[in-house]
């Protein structure tokens, strides 16, 4: 992507800006039940896949999404589901801070281009995470805001309509093709940056510029 000065830079939050620690917690919570490293890797992947599947339907509170995904994963593995463990995941989210590169990268852009978040988190989680990013955001949208989760098109439509801009006026930034960059492309958001956090591979054909971390983002917008 050549240098492009967008009207807004829109971000995924968890995984892209905030250090997403579902996998780390899973390895802690289920260490006794799944001691083999290779099997644990598969369990973590299955839990991730069920969380993705759980947001493709009608909106429901994120705590229900999270617990449902965990319950389905446990059922697949023949492990007894414990609702208290599901709640521990949910309660841990607000404590997570940013990746080490994020504050430095965002601080070079904040105040020059409006920054926006659209996250699949709930409203009662995200304020703490955003505060830890230490820069002002023009808008922080969640799935609670519009009652729709990414990757559904309605999430992107609601964000674009609320911002009052055209899709081609945005730069959308994410570490996920599944949740963000593929649907963004299909919604006409031509300018996209993929932050490679090593939890998803780069996908050709969706017009995203790959960057190693957020410190490389200012250069894409001429800052």
């Amino acid at each position: 992507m050549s240098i492009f000065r967008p009207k807004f830079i829109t971000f995924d939050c968890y995984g892209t800006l905030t250090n997403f620690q579902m996998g780390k917690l899973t390895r802690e919570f289920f260490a006794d039940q799944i001691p083999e490293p290779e099997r644990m890797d598969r369990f973590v992947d299955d839990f991730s896949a069920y969380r993705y599947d759980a947001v493709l339907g009608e909106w429901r509170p994120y705590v229900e999404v999270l617990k449902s995904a965990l319950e389905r994963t446990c059922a697949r593995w023949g492990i007894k589901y414990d609702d208290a463990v599901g709640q521990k995941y949910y309660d841990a989210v607000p404590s997570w801070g940013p990746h080490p590169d994020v504050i430095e990268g965002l601080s070079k852009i904040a105040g020059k281009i409006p920054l926006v978040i659209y996250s699949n988190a709930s409203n009662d989680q995200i304020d703490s995470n955003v505060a830890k990013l230490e820069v002002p955001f023009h808008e922080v949208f969640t799935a609670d805001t519009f009652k729709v989760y990414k990757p559904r098109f309605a999430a992107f439509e609601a964000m674009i309509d609320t911002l009052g801009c055209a899709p081609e006026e945005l730069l959308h930034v994410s570490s996920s093709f599944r949740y963000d960059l593929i649907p963004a492309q299909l919604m006409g958001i031509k300018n996209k940056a993929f932050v490679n956090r090593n939890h998803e591979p780069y996908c050709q054909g969706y017009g995203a510029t790959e960057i190693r971390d957020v410190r490389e983002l200012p250069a894409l917008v001429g800052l």
Side-chain angles (χ1 to χ4, degrees), residues 152-188:
R152 296 193 64 190
F153 288 0
F156 292 89
E157 289 170 333
M159 179 176 70
I160 292 166
D161 290 347
T162 303
L163 292 175
C165 63
E168 56 268 22
E169 293 179 301
L170 300 179
L171 169 60
H172 191 63
V173 182
S174 178
S175 61
S176 174
F177 276 86
R178 290 185 302 166
Y179 281 94
D180 283 90
L181 299 175
I182 292 174
Q185 172 73 8
L186 297 173
M187 288 300 302

Side-chain angles (χ1 to χ4, degrees), residues 55-152:
V55 299
L56 297 179
E58 294 301 314
W59 180 88
R60 52 181 167 159
Y62 186 68
V63 66
E64 295 180 17
V65 166
L66 184 58
K67 290 181 177 181
S68 171
L70 183 62
E71 185 173 16
R72 293 170 70 192
T73 307
C74 289
R76 180 169 176 172
W77 281 73
I79 294 172
K80 183 179 179 181
Y81 169 71
D82 184 347
D83 194 70
V85 174
Q87 189 67 42
K88 284 183 180 180
Y89 281 101
Y90 185 82
D91 293 342
V93 173
S95 69
W96 299 342
H99 289 284
D101 55 277
V102 167
I103 294 173
E104 180 183 345
L106 292 183
S107 65
K108 295 179 180 178
I109 304 171
K112 302 177 180 70
I113 301 172
L115 309 179
V116 176
I117 284 173
Y118 193 119
S119 172
N120 277 356
S122 64
N123 290 336
D124 62 358
Q125 293 176 307
I126 200 166
D127 286 349
S128 175
N129 304 110
V130 173
K132 293 179 178 66
L133 301 177
E134 298 184 10
V135 299
F137 280 82
H138 174 72
E139 294 279 7
V140 176
F141 302 126
T142 71
D144 270 351
T145 308
F146 300 118
K147 299 298 184 281
V148 62
Y149 289 102
K150 299 177 299 181
R152 296 193 64 190

Side-chain angles (χ1 to χ4, degrees), residues 187-198:
M187 288 300 302
I189 300 175
K190 298 178 181 179
N191 300 285
K192 297 171 292 297
F194 171 62
V195 186
N196 193 341
R197 299 292 189 193
N198 296 313

